[in-house]
Amino acid sequence: MAQDAPAALYDFTTDRSGTHPRRMLGAWRGLLQADDFSGYAESFRSGVTHAACLVHARRRFAKIVKDAPRGMSPGLAHEA
């Protein structure tokens, strides 16, 4: 049986300042799934473990599939 994540949070701010994630995370340490937003960099240097967001990698594979010539056999990008 799959285990649910202990928490999920979306925190909207009107700017991309790194002060917001530092304020929100405080002294918490653990595994944080996030994109490559530079505002998290200080937290990652201070003991938060970065679990990268895979949507960026998936987009590359989707583009390869979309741009493949018609009739081409499915390849690794299709599998990914």
Side-chain angles (χ1 to χ4, degrees):
M1 174 184 248
Q3 186 176 7
D4 290 336
L9 172 69
Y10 178 82
D11 185 38
F12 176 80
T13 58
T14 57
D15 64 44
R16 295 187 53 82
S17 168
T19 60
H20 301 294
R22 287 191 299 277
R23 172 192 46 79
M24 181 180 62
L25 297 173
W28 175 83
R29 299 295 176 261
L31 189 65
L32 177 65
Q33 183 171 2
D35 62 7
D36 202 26
F37 167 49
S38 63
Y40 292 120
E42 183 60 36
S43 296
F44 297 145
R45 286 191 294 268
S46 300
V48 173
T49 302
H50 185 194
C53 172
L54 295 178
V55 73
H56 295 91
R58 188 201 66 78
R59 286 180 188 152
R60 301 281 184 176
F61 291 115
K63 181 167 176 25
I64 292 168
V65 169
K66 180 181 172 230
D67 294 345
R70 279 202 185 279
M72 184 175 171
S73 298
L76 292 175
H78 289 79
E79 186 177 331

